[in-house]
Each structure stands twice: as structure tokens, then as C-alpha cells.
Amino acid sequence: GWKSRRTDALLKTFADVGPDALIVETFPFGRRKFRFELAPLLDLATRTRPRPLIASSVRDILVAKTDPGKVAEMAAMARRWFDLVLVHGDPALIRFEASFPLADRIADLIRYTGYVSPPRATAAAPDGVGAVIVSVGGGAVGEALLRAAVAARPATVLADVPWRLLAGPDLPHPVFDDLRRMAPAGVVVEPARPDFAGLLARCRLSISQAGYNTVIDVLAAGCPAVLVPFAAGGETEQRDRAALLAARGLAQVVDEATLSPASLAAAVDGAIRLPRRAPAIRLDGAETTARLVLEAARRDR
């Protein structure tokens, strides 16, 4: 009954709005649990006259699928329903076929938008200059990395450098309080900051997971980086993104399964030898997406 009510509400909204463009996040390349409502929506959209532009919006890396049949089904659904597949990445860094092996079947639908990144901060700030910045995104799964960073610091070549640990809003409060209590002199534990990109621009080294937004901020800053990709529950997106960046000499990687103070310290010492450089990648994904959708919708109309 709940699924039926959701589907009815979604179809009614589509009919009431009469959109010129319909953009679906990730599906059919993921979000299969929402197929019960998305398939009827897409069927309705393809029957509607005038027909709206239909686009799928995906990140640079997909979660790997072990069933070849599901991969083939994704390609078939893309051909059945979609006019565009908007890949929010840059093929100069990561190509879509790196995580979707049947990309050639939908090559005419694929448009690379560049990475979706906020404007870069230009104003200098007094804190964080030359520091090691340890971040865990929202923080819900970041406790192990934060604790390993505190323990690893004395064993690194950056033991005398200030370290700033950004906890994230979803880190449990008792864990945050405990980290603050155990932090030695030279280690600051604080909530995640809105000027994160600015901190990276003036830091000595970044230690983080390998989520889309964090990696884009790290790449834009051009700072040496250690990536500890989240990999629990069969997730492969962060692992694959980190591996591709490491292969290009843009980061050192520590497997989450082998994370320890010793393994993190070794990665820090390796990363600090990496050159500080911002790769030439496109970061205008929001503007390019808007332009591509508007141009295609107007052309179809």
C-alpha cells in the first residue's frame, strides 16, 4: 500500500507539473529499490505528448555489479527510456566504462559534464596553514579513521605539524567528546567546517575517505592526499575511485580493512612525497549540466 501511494503521488506530480525535462538520479545504474515507482514514471513520461527530455544523472563511478545480467539490463533500460546519461565526471580522469563495462552500448547517450564542485574559496584564513586535515564527510562511519589518525601522528614525518580532525555532523557525540579528550597537544578536534575547501587549499596534507564531494575538493586544492575509502556493505564506489587516483599518482590509499595507526602512518609518509598539483580536470559540472539539459529540451521541443 505504501508503494502504491508513493507511485500515485509521483505520477500525479508529473501530470500536474508537465515538465520539459525529467532528471532521475542514478537510476537505472543504481537505486533499484525505487524501480517500483520510477518505471511507471518513465513509462508515463515516454507516452506523454509533447514528450519531455529524460535524463539520468550519475556520478563518475558506479557501484560495481557482480551479475552481468543486471549490467545488461541497465543498458537496456537506458536505451528504452533515456535521452541522455549525464556523467558528473571528466573522462580525462575517470571514464564511465571504468565502472560500467557496457558503456559502449549507450555511448550516444553519454555526456560528461565535468565534476560538480562549489566555487573555490580565494580568501586566506589564519588557521590550518601547513596543517594535516583529517576529514570523514558526514562522520557516521568515520570513527575508526579519526582514532587511527590520532594514534598515527607520532609515527609520521609530520609529527610536529598541527593536525585538525573534522568530525562531521553524524559522528556520535560521545565519540566526538572522547576524541577531544584523547587529543594531545597539536591536535585539534572540531566539527566539520563550511570552509573545508579553503582548509585544503592551505594544508600540508589531506587524510579522508574517498567520497565524490571530498575527492573533488582535494583534487581542486591540489594537496597531497591519503584516501581511506569506505567499503562496508559491498560498497565499491569509493574503493574504485581511490584506486584510479592512486594509479595516477594523485593519492596514497589505505584499505579500510587494514586500517591501523601503522598503515596510516606509512601512507602519510608516502603521500607527503607526492607533488602538490591540481590535475587539469573540469569542475563546471553544475553549469554544464544545466546547459546540456536546456539545449536538449529546447531542441526536442
Side-chain angles (χ1 to χ4, degrees):
W2 172 77
K3 288 184 176 181
S4 178
R5 290 192 297 274
R6 278 186 62 106
T7 302
D8 290 346
L10 183 59
L11 299 184
K12 182 179 184 302
T13 300
F14 176 86
D16 290 345
V17 172
D20 296 303
L22 171 64
I23 304 178
V24 180
E25 191 253 345
T26 304
F27 190 82
F29 306 99
R31 303 290 189 264
R32 293 176 66 88
K33 290 182 179 180
F34 293 94
R35 184 173 179 174
F36 73 89
E37 61 185 5
L38 291 177
L41 172 66
L42 292 164
D43 280 337
L44 175 60
T46 55
R47 295 194 306 268
T48 299
R49 296 294 180 271
R51 180 187 182 282
L53 175 79
I54 304 176
S56 175
S57 170
V58 300
R59 292 181 176 183
D60 56 341
I61 298 278
L62 301 177
V63 175
K65 300 295 185 292
T66 57
D67 184 350
K70 288 184 178 180
V71 178
E73 184 184 30
M74 291 175 187
M77 287 191 289
R79 291 236 66 94
R80 173 182 173 185
W81 284 314
F82 291 87
D83 304 302
L84 295 177
V85 175
L86 301 166
V87 179
H88 301 305
D90 188 333
L93 185 65
I94 299 173
R95 296 193 63 83
F96 193 52
E97 55 262 34
S99 59
F100 188 66
L102 297 184
D104 60 317
R105 296 190 183 181
I106 58 169
D108 57 313
L109 307 181
I110 294 173
R111 303 290 187 275
Y112 290 97
T113 69
Y115 285 93
V116 178
S117 173
R120 298 294 102 194
T122 56
D127 64 342
V129 176
V132 174
I133 304 299
V134 186
S135 60
V136 291
V141 293
E143 178 181 354
L145 176 54
L146 293 171
R147 291 190 183 278
V150 174
R153 179 177 180 251
T156 71
V157 296
L158 299 179
D160 296 328
V161 170
W163 288 41
R164 304 186 79 91
L165 278 58
L166 306 183
D170 299 323
L171 187 78
H173 291 297
V175 175
F176 179 78
D177 293 339
D178 189 48
L179 285 166
R180 277 195 156 174
R181 282 192 297 268
M182 67 182 286
V187 175
V188 175
V189 181
E190 60 183 341
R193 292 171 43 160
D195 63 338
F196 176 62
L199 279 174
L200 293 179
R202 53 188 182 267
C203 78
R204 181 81 177 275
L205 174 76
S206 167
I207 301 174
S208 71
Q209 295 170 314
Y212 181 94
N213 295 320
T214 299
V215 165
I216 298 314
D217 284 335
V218 169
L219 290 175
C223 57
V226 174
L227 300 176
V228 185
F230 173 70
E235 290 292 326
T236 61
E237 175 194 330
Q238 291 198 17
R239 180 202 68 192
D240 292 347
R241 182 179 295 113
L244 287 165
L245 295 178
R248 293 175 177 269
L250 296 170
Q252 290 278 314
V253 177
V254 177
D255 192 314
E256 187 179 59
T258 61
L259 174 65
S260 68
S263 64
L264 187 59
V268 167
D269 289 354
I272 204 65
R273 294 192 292 268
L274 296 174
R276 189 178 185 101
R277 60 190 176 95
I281 58 173
R282 291 176 52 198
L283 299 172
D284 59 344
E287 296 85 351
T288 302
T289 298
R291 177 178 56 79
L292 289 170
V293 170
L294 287 170
E295 288 177 352
R298 288 168 178 161
R299 182 174 62 247
D300 289 351
R301 287 288 171 126

